[in-house]
Short mmCIF file of all heavy atoms in Angstrom, two decimals:
data_model
loop_
_atom_site.label_atom_id
_atom_site.label_comp_id
_atom_site.label_asym_id
_atom_site.label_seq_id
_atom_site.Cartn_x
_atom_site.Cartn_y
_atom_site.Cartn_z
N LYS B 16 116.09 105.88 71.58
CA LYS B 16 116.30 105.07 70.38
C LYS B 16 116.21 103.60 70.79
O LYS B 16 116.56 103.22 71.92
CB LYS B 16 117.64 105.35 69.74
CG LYS B 16 117.76 106.74 69.13
CD LYS B 16 119.09 106.90 68.50
CE LYS B 16 119.22 108.27 67.85
NZ LYS B 16 120.55 108.47 67.20
N SER B 17 115.81 102.78 69.81
CA SER B 17 115.71 101.36 70.06
C SER B 17 117.11 100.81 70.44
O SER B 17 118.14 101.19 69.85
CB SER B 17 115.19 100.70 68.78
OG SER B 17 115.01 99.31 68.96
N GLY B 18 117.14 99.96 71.45
CA GLY B 18 118.40 99.37 71.88
C GLY B 18 119.02 100.02 73.07
O GLY B 18 119.92 99.47 73.72
N THR B 19 118.55 101.21 73.39
CA THR B 19 119.14 101.88 74.59
C THR B 19 118.34 101.50 75.84
O THR B 19 117.29 100.89 75.75
CB THR B 19 119.08 103.41 74.39
OG1 THR B 19 117.69 103.84 74.23
CG2 THR B 19 119.87 103.84 73.19
N SER B 20 118.91 101.82 77.01
CA SER B 20 118.26 101.53 78.26
C SER B 20 117.78 102.82 78.91
O SER B 20 118.40 103.90 78.73
CB SER B 20 119.28 100.84 79.24
OG SER B 20 119.59 99.58 78.71
N VAL B 21 116.68 102.74 79.57
CA VAL B 21 116.06 103.88 80.19
C VAL B 21 115.76 103.59 81.66
O VAL B 21 115.24 102.52 82.00
CB VAL B 21 114.72 104.22 79.49
CG1 VAL B 21 113.97 105.33 80.23
CG2 VAL B 21 114.96 104.58 78.06
N LYS B 22 116.12 104.52 82.53
CA LYS B 22 115.84 104.36 83.97
C LYS B 22 114.77 105.32 84.42
O LYS B 22 114.84 106.53 84.11
CB LYS B 22 117.12 104.57 84.76
CG LYS B 22 116.94 104.41 86.28
CD LYS B 22 118.13 104.76 87.10
CE LYS B 22 119.12 103.65 87.11
NZ LYS B 22 120.27 103.91 88.08
N ILE B 23 113.84 104.81 85.16
CA ILE B 23 112.74 105.65 85.71
C ILE B 23 112.83 105.55 87.25
O ILE B 23 112.92 104.46 87.80
CB ILE B 23 111.37 105.12 85.23
CG1 ILE B 23 111.30 105.12 83.71
CG2 ILE B 23 110.26 105.98 85.79
CD1 ILE B 23 110.06 104.42 83.17
N GLU B 24 112.78 106.69 87.85
CA GLU B 24 112.88 106.76 89.30
C GLU B 24 111.51 107.02 89.93
O GLU B 24 110.72 107.82 89.38
CB GLU B 24 113.81 107.89 89.74
CG GLU B 24 115.25 107.60 89.50
CD GLU B 24 116.14 108.68 90.12
OE1 GLU B 24 115.60 109.67 90.62
OE2 GLU B 24 117.37 108.51 90.08
N CYS B 25 111.28 106.39 91.05
CA CYS B 25 110.05 106.58 91.80
C CYS B 25 110.40 106.87 93.25
O CYS B 25 111.13 106.11 93.88
CB CYS B 25 109.18 105.33 91.70
SG CYS B 25 107.66 105.36 92.68
N ARG B 26 109.95 107.97 93.76
CA ARG B 26 110.24 108.37 95.13
C ARG B 26 108.99 108.63 95.96
O ARG B 26 108.06 109.30 95.46
CB ARG B 26 111.09 109.63 95.15
CG ARG B 26 112.48 109.48 94.57
CD ARG B 26 113.26 110.77 94.60
NE ARG B 26 114.56 110.59 93.94
CZ ARG B 26 115.63 110.17 94.50
NH1 ARG B 26 115.65 109.85 95.77
NH2 ARG B 26 116.75 110.05 93.78
N SER B 27 108.96 108.18 97.17
CA SER B 27 107.91 108.56 98.13
C SER B 27 108.47 109.72 98.91
O SER B 27 109.54 109.62 99.52
CB SER B 27 107.56 107.39 99.05
OG SER B 27 108.69 106.89 99.74
N LEU B 28 107.79 110.85 98.81
CA LEU B 28 108.35 112.10 99.30
C LEU B 28 108.12 112.37 100.80
O LEU B 28 108.90 113.03 101.46
CB LEU B 28 107.84 113.30 98.49
CG LEU B 28 108.23 113.25 97.00
CD1 LEU B 28 107.76 114.53 96.31
CD2 LEU B 28 109.73 113.06 96.81
N ASP B 29 106.99 111.85 101.30
CA ASP B 29 106.67 112.21 102.68
C ASP B 29 106.32 111.01 103.54
O ASP B 29 105.69 111.13 104.61
CB ASP B 29 105.57 113.25 102.72
CG ASP B 29 104.28 112.76 102.02
OD1 ASP B 29 104.36 111.73 101.36
OD2 ASP B 29 103.26 113.43 102.13
N PHE B 30 106.69 109.82 103.04
CA PHE B 30 106.50 108.63 103.86
C PHE B 30 107.48 107.57 103.43
O PHE B 30 108.06 107.65 102.35
CB PHE B 30 105.05 108.11 103.77
CG PHE B 30 104.67 107.55 102.45
CD1 PHE B 30 104.55 106.16 102.26
CD2 PHE B 30 104.36 108.36 101.35
CE1 PHE B 30 104.20 105.64 101.06
CE2 PHE B 30 103.99 107.86 100.17
CZ PHE B 30 103.92 106.47 99.99
N GLN B 31 107.65 106.58 104.28
CA GLN B 31 108.56 105.48 103.91
C GLN B 31 107.75 104.37 103.30
O GLN B 31 106.82 103.81 103.90
CB GLN B 31 109.27 105.00 105.18
CG GLN B 31 110.24 106.04 105.74
CD GLN B 31 111.04 105.52 106.90
OE1 GLN B 31 110.54 104.81 107.75
NE2 GLN B 31 112.33 105.86 106.97
N ALA B 32 108.17 104.00 102.12
CA ALA B 32 107.42 102.98 101.32
C ALA B 32 108.06 101.63 101.51
O ALA B 32 109.13 101.37 100.97
CB ALA B 32 107.42 103.38 99.86
N THR B 33 107.42 100.78 102.27
CA THR B 33 107.95 99.43 102.46
C THR B 33 107.75 98.61 101.21
O THR B 33 108.48 97.68 100.95
CB THR B 33 107.26 98.76 103.64
OG1 THR B 33 105.85 98.91 103.51
CG2 THR B 33 107.69 99.38 104.96
N THR B 34 106.72 98.94 100.47
CA THR B 34 106.42 98.17 99.25
C THR B 34 106.19 99.17 98.08
O THR B 34 105.48 100.14 98.26
CB THR B 34 105.17 97.30 99.41
OG1 THR B 34 105.32 96.48 100.59
CG2 THR B 34 104.97 96.39 98.20
#
Side-chain angles (χ1 to χ4, degrees):
Chain B
K16 292 182 179 179
S17 186
T19 60
S20 294
V21 175
K22 181 186 279 189
I23 303 170
E24 288 188 353
C25 176
R26 293 180 185 272
S27 57
L28 298 184
D29 57 351
F30 69 104
Q31 293 185 321
T33 49
T34 308

